[in-house]
Amino acid sequence: MGILTRFKDIMSSNINALLDKAEDPEKMIDQCLRNLTSDLGKVKAETAAIMAEEQRAKRVLDDCKEEIAKMQAYAVKALEAGSEDDARKFLEQKASLTSKLNGLQEAYDLSHTNAVHMREMHDKLVSDINELESRKDMIKGKLAVAKTQERMNKMTSSFASANDSIASFAKYEEMADKALDKANAMAELNSSGPDRTIKDLTQKYSQDAGVEDELAALKASLNK
């Protein structure tokens, strides 16, 4: 039967190996689950049909064996009754049934083997589906963790850029401080130059002498 031609491939398939080679394990699992679920439906239907055939073949085989036993018993009874002709007829029927027995046995053995294979395939598919379901949840969990880690990596990168900006700002601030210190120093140097000193001395000795005289007179009056 058609499904039996796939028995070898299904039984030899390694789900874990397929997942390990997949570029996108989650999509691979979804596809495998769809395929296996479809196969499982077919296998169940075929298994039921083959098991029914096995039961039919077993029933026909058992009926033939039972008829052979009956013919043997009737032949004995016919001889006991003194009728060799009847006994011969029963034995001839027994021989005819016996010639069919080997074919019926082979048919039953084949149907039984097919039923065993189908059952094994059914159990393998159920196991693979359960394995994929388990792996699917695990992979989804890992992908969620990976996405979280990726977001954290981006945030860390942003923090690093912010630190670089702060460091650059501090550098520019230092440059500004140096420029300001240089300007202040230059202003101080300019304020203490020769021209400034002469100007100050000139102002010192150019003060109004009348103020000093008035101050001296005021002191003298107070001493009286």
Side-chain angles (χ1 to χ4, degrees):
M1 305 183 74
I3 193 66
L4 288 178
T5 62
R6 297 196 57 200
F7 173 74
K8 183 177 180 181
D9 292 337
I10 292 176
M11 294 304 294
S12 63
S13 64
N14 189 324
I15 295 300
N16 290 331
L18 291 175
L19 294 180
D20 292 339
K21 295 179 181 178
E23 294 182 0
D24 191 335
E26 187 173 9
K27 288 184 179 180
M28 183 66 177
I29 282 182
D30 289 336
Q31 185 60 48
C32 283
L33 279 173
R34 286 191 291 269
N35 294 342
L36 290 177
T37 300
S38 176
D39 285 341
L40 182 59
K42 297 174 183 178
V43 167
K44 283 184 177 180
E46 292 290 348
T47 300
I50 290 177
M51 290 178 66
E53 175 60 25
E54 178 193 20
Q55 293 173 358
R56 187 199 68 80
K58 182 67 165 58
R59 184 171 57 254
V60 171
L61 178 63
D62 290 342
D63 288 346
C64 183
K65 290 179 178 179
E66 184 177 350
E67 285 298 314
I68 290 174
K70 285 182 180 180
M71 293 303 102
Q72 176 67 26
Y74 283 131
V76 172
K77 289 182 178 181
L79 285 176
E80 290 176 346
S83 177
E84 291 185 4
D85 289 339
D86 290 343
R88 185 177 292 104
K89 290 179 181 179
F90 286 129
L91 291 176
E92 289 174 351
Q93 181 64 20
K94 174 186 174 183
S96 177
L97 292 172
T98 301
S99 65
K100 297 179 181 180
L101 186 62
N102 290 335
L104 295 176
Q105 183 66 53
E106 289 178 359
Y108 168 73
D109 291 341
L110 178 59
S111 63
H112 175 71
T113 299
N114 288 340
V116 170
H117 286 175
M118 292 302 297
R119 186 66 187 182
E120 289 176 351
M121 184 159 44
H122 173 274
D123 294 344
K124 172 86 165 42
L125 287 171
V126 171
S127 176
D128 285 346
I129 290 173
N130 291 336
E131 173 71 12
L132 285 175
E133 290 288 356
S134 176
R135 291 289 296 274
K136 182 176 181 179
D137 293 339
M138 178 185 66
I139 289 175
K140 283 187 175 181
K142 287 183 177 181
L143 289 176
V145 173
K147 290 178 180 179
T148 300
Q149 184 63 49
E150 184 177 357
R151 291 197 299 271
M152 292 180 63
N153 292 341
K154 290 181 179 179
M155 292 177 64
T156 301
S157 177
S158 298
F159 289 151
S161 298
N163 291 335
D164 291 340
S165 298
I166 293 173
S168 298
F169 182 83
K171 179 180 179 180
Y172 295 142
E173 183 178 14
E174 182 180 358
M175 293 173 62
D177 290 341
K178 288 182 179 180
L180 179 60
D181 292 340
K182 183 177 180 180
N184 289 336
M186 185 61 70
E188 183 177 352
L189 290 174
N190 290 337
S191 66
S192 60
D195 294 342
R196 181 63 180 173
T197 301
I198 293 300
K199 183 178 180 180
D200 291 342
L201 291 174
T202 301
Q203 183 177 1
K204 177 180 179 181
Y205 290 103
S206 299
Q207 291 181 352
D208 188 358
V211 175
E212 295 298 330
D213 293 342
E214 186 178 356
L215 179 59
L218 183 57
K219 285 182 179 180
S221 65
L222 289 176
N223 288 336
K224 296 179 179 182

